[in-house]
Amino acid sequence: MFSFIARRIGTILLTMLCLTLVVFFLVNLEPNLKKLAISQTEMHTPADQLESWLVNHGYRQNFFLRYGQWLGVLPKHPITDPATGKTTQRFSFCNDPTEPKFSGVLQGDFGCSTKFKTTVAAKLFPALGATGLLMFWVLAVMVPISLLIGILAGMREGSRTDRVLSVASIASTATPEYVSGVIFTVIFASWLGWLNGSAASASQGITFYNFTLPVITLAIYGTGYIARMTRASMVEVMTQQYIRTARLKGLSFSSVVIKHALRNALIAPFTVIMLQFPWLLTGVVIVEVMFRYQGFGYTLVEAAGNNDIDLLLGCSLVSVFIVLITQLISDVGYAFLNPRIRVQ
């Protein structure tokens, strides 16, 4: 198991290196750099002044040199003002070094946010914490309900309960977040007035009134998917020979389900639940913008809309890391739950 985890960690690091290089290349394409220069100056700024801004802020340095500095494997150098010959910080609102220094991702420096006029870490990690809180409550609502629905539906395949719960699961899975979010907002916020259609105030304090709509909007979609997977796994387990043997020995149906079927039926849903983390990262982009909740998704949209290069790179790095780590945890957990995989 140790060698397996070590190999996977090595693969994760290599994957992150390759993907960050691709993202770094894409966000530094010429149209993106010009858009950034315009957003930091004025709309009708002459082309020569836009080029001067890019040069003065280090965007015209060698591509691989800048990538190495962003990673932290090459030292960052202060910018030399061509007019005065003096060295200055790349951005005055950031902690850029005033002398050659290793200061990149490996040293905990994710760069400067040109949109929010602060360091990337100061904006990214609080937003990530806010999204983590949202994801926690979504999972706390989604996982128990979906497992219960899947188990009840799969216990007796073809029954009326199975058909009703299966139809409800398919309907929820077929409804994307932006549709259910609008429906819930119209019903519970506009018509009934029970809930707040905006979660902007949740950054100052979470309440049932301002936090319920984004939670149920995300949870309703994932609930149907996990429930369907749990039902399929439960149906397969209930047809196994050892279940029939247990029933022939006189064990009650509830005892057979709880003691023999449940653990084996939860192996497949465990993997699906772990893979909900990458889905939640993409789902929160829509939901956070819809409900004005200033978390990771909202920050990513703002960074992309304003071509905030360093913040975009930080968001991409976090996204890749979470996806790969959750896949590792899923593989390790699956091996512990399934003895046949562990032996192999």
Side-chain angles (χ1 to χ4, degrees), residues 34-46 49-50:
K34 287 187 177 180
K35 180 181 177 181
L36 172 62
I38 291 173
S39 67
Q40 295 299 306
T41 53
E42 296 179 0
M43 181 62 68
H44 301 291
T45 302
Q49 293 185 19
L50 295 178

Side-chain angles (χ1 to χ4, degrees), residues 198-235:
S198 171
S201 60
S203 57
Q204 282 76 41
I206 292 176
T207 64
F208 181 84
Y209 180 68
N210 65 15
F211 208 59
T212 300
L213 281 181
V215 170
I216 62 174
T217 299
L218 282 169
I220 197 71
Y221 180 84
T223 296
Y225 182 59
I226 298 175
R228 292 291 296 167
M229 293 297 296
T230 306
R231 176 199 174 275
S233 181
M234 193 70 182
V235 168

Side-chain angles (χ1 to χ4, degrees), residues 6-325:
R7 289 195 304 270
R8 289 300 302 271
I9 290 177
T11 304
I12 287 174
L13 294 177
L14 181 60
T15 303
M16 291 180 65
L17 180 66
C18 295
L19 289 178
T20 53
L21 179 60
V22 172
V23 174
F24 194 89
F25 171 77
L26 293 176
V27 298
N28 281 281
L29 291 174
E30 187 63 25
N32 294 333
L33 293 179
K34 287 187 177 180
K35 180 181 177 181
L36 172 62
I38 291 173
S39 67
Q40 295 299 306
T41 53
E42 296 179 0
M43 181 62 68
H44 301 291
T45 302
D48 58 335
Q49 293 185 19
L50 295 178
E51 181 66 22
S52 176
W53 187 92
L54 292 172
V55 171
N56 293 339
H57 289 82
Y59 289 101
R60 291 307 189 194
Q61 294 180 355
N62 179 270
F63 172 80
F64 292 102
L65 173 63
R66 290 183 54 214
Y67 180 67
Q69 291 174 343
W70 178 77
L71 280 180
V73 297
L74 294 176
K76 283 184 179 179
H77 294 270
I79 302 300
T80 301
D81 189 341
T84 63
K86 296 181 179 179
T87 58
T88 59
Q89 288 180 307
R90 182 164 165 249
F91 293 105
S92 59
F93 52 81
C94 213
N95 295 327
D96 280 338
T98 55
E99 57 184 19
K101 179 184 178 182
F102 287 91
S103 182
V105 172
L106 296 178
Q107 291 79 29
D109 180 7
F110 290 83
C112 303
S113 171
T114 53
K115 161 64 178 175
F116 297 100
K117 308 300 181 184
T118 184
T119 62
V120 169
K123 181 62 183 179
L124 178 59
F125 292 113
L128 195 61
T131 295
L133 188 61
L134 175 61
M135 292 171 67
F136 169 80
W137 284 109
V138 170
L139 290 172
V141 172
M142 179 175 65
V143 173
I145 294 177
S146 59
L147 291 179
L148 180 61
I149 292 174
I151 292 170
L152 291 176
M155 284 169 53
R156 298 185 183 275
E157 183 184 11
S159 64
R160 180 179 297 178
T161 301
D162 178 27
R163 293 195 296 270
V164 171
L165 293 178
S166 295
V167 170
S169 299
I170 294 173
S172 66
T173 306
T175 307
E177 300 94 332
Y178 55 85
V179 174
S180 59
V182 171
I183 294 174
F184 292 149
T185 301
V186 170
I187 295 175
F188 296 108
S190 299
W191 290 354
L192 301 177
W194 293 349
L195 302 173
N196 192 349
S198 171
S201 60
S203 57
Q204 282 76 41
I206 292 176
T207 64
F208 181 84
Y209 180 68
N210 65 15
F211 208 59
T212 300
L213 281 181
V215 170
I216 62 174
T217 299
L218 282 169
I220 197 71
Y221 180 84
T223 296
Y225 182 59
I226 298 175
R228 292 291 296 167
M229 293 297 296
T230 306
R231 176 199 174 275
S233 181
M234 193 70 182
V235 168
E236 181 181 359
V237 170
M238 292 299 292
T239 60
Q240 297 298 314
Q241 185 64 42
Y242 68 90
I243 297 294
R244 296 194 186 97
T245 303
R247 291 286 287 160
L248 291 173
K249 288 182 177 180
L251 292 177
S252 64
F253 182 77
S254 59
S255 178
V256 169
V257 170
I258 295 174
K259 294 183 178 180
H260 298 278
L262 196 55
R263 178 180 177 182
N264 291 329
L266 292 180
I267 294 177
F270 171 79
T271 305
V272 176
I273 291 170
M274 291 307 302
L275 294 178
Q276 295 306 299
F277 285 92
W279 164 75
L280 283 174
L281 273 182
T282 59
V284 295
V285 173
I286 299 173
V287 172
E288 288 184 359
V289 172
M290 180 182 297
F291 294 104
R292 298 170 58 194
Y293 183 68
Q294 297 188 14
F296 178 81
Y298 176 86
T299 302
L300 178 60
V301 171
E302 288 293 310
N306 295 275
N307 204 53
D308 192 338
I309 291 177
D310 286 349
L311 186 55
L312 270 173
L313 288 169
C315 292
S316 302
L317 186 65
V318 168
S319 300
V320 172
F321 176 78
I322 291 178
V323 170
L324 295 176
I325 287 296

